Amino acid sequence: MQKQDFYQTLVKQAQGLISGESNMIANMANLSALLFTTLEDINWAGFYLMDSAEELVLGPFQGNPACIRIPVGKGVCGTAAATCETQLVEDVHAFAGHIACDAASNSEIVIPVFKDNKVIAVLDIDSPSLARFDEQDKNGLEAFVKAFEGTL
C-alpha cells in the first residue's frame, strides 16, 4: 500500500473511532492506540497537553513511560508548541535542546493540535530508526490531527 493510501485509510479509521465522541481525553487515548498499532517502526505515540502558557503535560499515549512535563520552547514537543508548526526531526540527537525521554528514540515527528487558533496539545510520535518520518508522513499525520481537531 502506498503511504498516501495508508494515511487516507488511517484518517477514515480515526474519524470512525472518534465520531460522536466529544471527550477529548477519550479520543486522544483511542487515537494514540490506533497510531501505535498501525504505524510501523515506532516506539511511542501520544499527546502532550498545554497545561499553562509555559508547559506541556503528558496526556494519553502508547509506549514506554515518558517525560511528564515539557517546557514550551524546549525539545521537539516544546518547539512545536512554541512555533505552532510541525517538527519533523530525522535525528533527535542532532536537535538542539532535545529532551531524551527514551534513549531508544532516534527520530520524531510532532504535530500541534489547534482549537480556536491556539495550540492546545501536540501529537508526538517517536521511532527507533533514524529518518523514519518524511514529508508524506508529515502530510498524512497533519490530516490525521485535522480530523481530531474537528471534534474539539
Side-chain angles (χ1 to χ4, degrees), residues 56-67:
L56 293 159
V57 66
L58 183 64
F61 72 94
Q62 298 281 309
N64 287 330
C67 300

Side-chain angles (χ1 to χ4, degrees), residues 15-146:
Q15 289 168 328
L17 268 178
I18 62 180
S19 176
E21 178 53 62
S22 61
N23 186 285
M24 182 176 75
I25 300 298
N27 286 337
M28 286 177 163
N30 263 340
L31 293 176
S32 297
L34 176 63
L35 289 169
F36 196 73
T37 58
T38 57
L39 287 176
E40 294 181 2
D41 195 26
I42 67 165
N43 59 338
W44 204 90
F47 293 87
Y48 279 90
L49 294 86
M50 293 297 291
D51 193 43
S52 68
E54 292 89 32
E55 199 168 48
L56 293 159
V57 66
L58 183 64
F61 72 94
Q62 298 281 309
N64 287 330
C67 300
I68 295 174
R69 295 190 176 271
I70 297 175
V72 170
K74 303 290 184 191
V76 183
C77 289
T79 299
T83 63
C84 302
E85 294 179 355
T86 297
Q87 300 296 306
L88 194 160
V89 182
E90 293 185 352
D91 180 356
V92 295
H93 309 290
F95 188 90
H98 173 249
I99 301 168
C101 295
D102 183 348
S105 294
N106 287 308
S107 63
E108 185 171 8
I109 187 166
V110 181
I111 300 100
V113 178
F114 294 92
K115 180 178 180 180
D116 300 327
N117 296 318
K118 292 175 67 175
V119 175
I120 61 159
V122 297
L123 170 62
D124 180 20
I125 306 171
D126 295 357
S127 172
S129 297
L130 291 169
R132 158 60 179 88
F133 307 103
D134 61 19
E135 282 298 313
Q136 285 184 303
D137 295 300
K138 178 180 180 283
N139 294 336
L141 291 165
E142 286 176 343
F144 181 89
V145 167
K146 285 271 183 248

